Amino acid sequence: MRKTLFFFIAAFVVALLTVSCDDNKHIISSGEMEEILYDYHLADAMAQQAKGGYAQNAVAYRAAVLKKYDVSQSDFDSSMVYYMRHTDQLHTMYQHISDRMQEEADKMGAGSTGGVTAQGDSADVWNGDKSIVLIPNEPFNLYSFDLKTDTTFHKGDILLLSFKSDFIFQDGMRDGVVVLSATLGNDSVASTVTHLSSSMPSTLQIMDNDSLGIKRIRGFFLLTKNNNANSSSTTLQLMSIHDIQLIRVHPKKSNAPSTPMTPPNGRIPVNPNVPDSERMRPQVMR
């Protein structure tokens, strides 16, 4: 009886392992999947710039990517199901992709700040990641930042949060949210928010109009989850934010003179067309 029970248990374990191994045959390795997803990003960028409709172009270019790696659509979809259930692995791949995108942008000069330092009239004071990737699954759908100011900030400063966004969505609604807020000298809060739904450069601005001073800067990038019952939870949905800059700009001071200007020799030139009776009156050079 014990031998029979042992035989059935062993047979069940072997069958389970066999099924598991067969399923894993259709899972693309993380290294190859990362390469495919990176090319997916390039394909999406090409689809937006090519003539014709974006949706049709994206389908054609993505199919070309799968053909390049000799991967079927069904294997790609099965792999996405697997990695969406293992979000830590998926997010690691996305972060590597984001880093590569940032490196390419830096080579093209996108990351240059023109040699501006934190002591100048304008400066990039961003101290977070220059490039981030978000997916709808928590906690990988949110990136927040918090910056305390220092003596390089002046009253009346202007804040400009600039970045570029890219989306790779197989289906579902695209909705990225970006919030920038500043705590002012009287503890009031000024904030601005924008929604992202396409690949484009964006800028958020906050001005210290009342010259109260900026004490603290906070905000976040968020990719919202599509709660539509018809949407899939296992398809590729990615928002990339890169080339992030937080520019602090000092207000410009007026260079206009407070007193009338006079010639270097201190003499006011005489206009021959002015009668002698009028020449003794004070004149202001215009």
Side-chain angles (χ1 to χ4, degrees), residues 38 50 85 173 177 186 195 224-225 228:
Y38 180 75
R85 292 173 179 170
M173 182 180 67
V177 182
N186 63 350
H195 285 258
T224 63
K225 191 168 186 178
N228 191 327

Side-chain angles (χ1 to χ4, degrees), residues 1-281:
M1 182 65 180
R2 290 181 178 178
K3 291 182 179 181
T4 302
L5 180 61
F6 177 78
F7 171 79
F8 278 113
I9 292 175
F12 175 76
V13 171
V14 171
L16 185 64
L17 291 175
T18 301
V19 172
S20 177
C21 290
D22 289 340
D23 290 341
N24 287 337
K25 289 180 181 179
H26 300 282
I27 303 302
I28 303 171
S29 68
S30 60
E32 186 176 11
M33 193 67 172
E34 184 177 312
E35 294 295 327
I36 294 174
L37 293 177
Y38 180 75
D39 282 356
Y40 250 48
H41 160 71
L42 299 180
D44 260 43
M46 293 171 60
Q48 292 176 22
Q49 298 175 6
K51 296 181 179 179
Y54 163 74
Q56 183 177 354
N57 290 335
V59 171
Y61 289 155
R62 289 172 181 175
V65 171
L66 297 183
K67 184 178 181 180
K68 171 184 175 181
Y69 291 94
D70 194 21
V71 172
S72 67
Q73 185 66 55
S74 60
D75 283 353
F76 178 81
D77 292 341
S78 298
S79 299
M80 281 305 305
V81 171
Y82 172 82
Y83 285 114
M84 289 296 287
R85 292 173 179 170
H86 299 78
T87 52
D88 54 340
Q89 297 182 45
L90 184 62
H91 187 260
T92 298
M93 287 189 287
Y94 283 157
Q95 196 58 55
H96 290 165
I97 293 169
S98 181
D99 292 341
R100 290 175 63 179
M101 291 164 54
Q102 185 64 49
E103 289 175 3
E104 291 298 323
D106 289 343
K107 290 178 182 178
M108 299 176 65
S112 175
T113 58
V116 178
T117 66
Q119 304 296 328
D121 290 337
S122 63
D124 183 5
V125 297
W126 178 258
N127 60 1
D129 296 323
K130 286 287 187 180
S131 178
I132 60 175
V133 171
L134 301 177
I135 57 178
N137 304 64
E138 296 181 357
F140 306 119
N141 64 331
L142 176 68
Y143 181 94
S144 58
F145 55 90
D146 190 342
L147 172 67
K148 292 183 178 180
T149 62
D150 54 25
T151 56
T152 63
F153 284 76
H154 299 172
K155 292 183 177 181
D157 279 349
I158 302 172
L159 295 176
L160 300 171
L161 176 64
S162 65
F163 54 88
K164 296 177 181 177
S165 60
D166 284 308
F167 287 84
I168 304 178
F169 267 55
Q170 285 183 294
D171 62 23
M173 182 180 67
R174 306 175 178 189
D175 186 20
V177 182
V178 185
V179 173
L180 174 66
S181 68
T183 303
L184 303 178
N186 63 350
D187 291 329
S188 62
V189 176
S191 63
T192 182
V193 59
T194 188
H195 285 258
L196 308 173
S197 59
S198 61
S199 300
M200 60 182 296
S202 302
T203 300
L204 279 71
Q205 175 178 291
I206 289 180
M207 301 179 66
D208 180 19
N209 290 322
D210 296 327
S211 297
L212 299 171
I214 299 174
K215 297 166 58 176
R216 192 174 186 180
I217 305 168
R218 287 180 286 186
F220 61 82
F221 298 89
L222 172 69
L223 179 61
T224 63
K225 191 168 186 178
N226 188 357
N227 294 320
N228 191 327
N230 296 324
S231 65
S232 172
S233 61
T234 55
T235 53
L236 178 60
Q237 296 180 341
L238 158 70
M239 180 176 74
S240 169
I241 304 294
H242 52 100
D243 298 343
I244 304 174
Q245 292 183 319
L246 180 60
I247 307 299
R248 178 222 65 215
V249 182
H250 292 329
K252 291 184 177 180
K253 296 181 180 180
S254 175
N255 293 322
S258 56
T259 57
M261 295 182 64
T262 57
N265 59 9
R267 298 179 181 178
I268 298 176
V270 175
N271 186 345
N273 296 323
V274 178
D276 294 339
S277 60
E278 297 292 332
R279 287 179 183 172
M280 300 304 295
R281 295 185 180 181

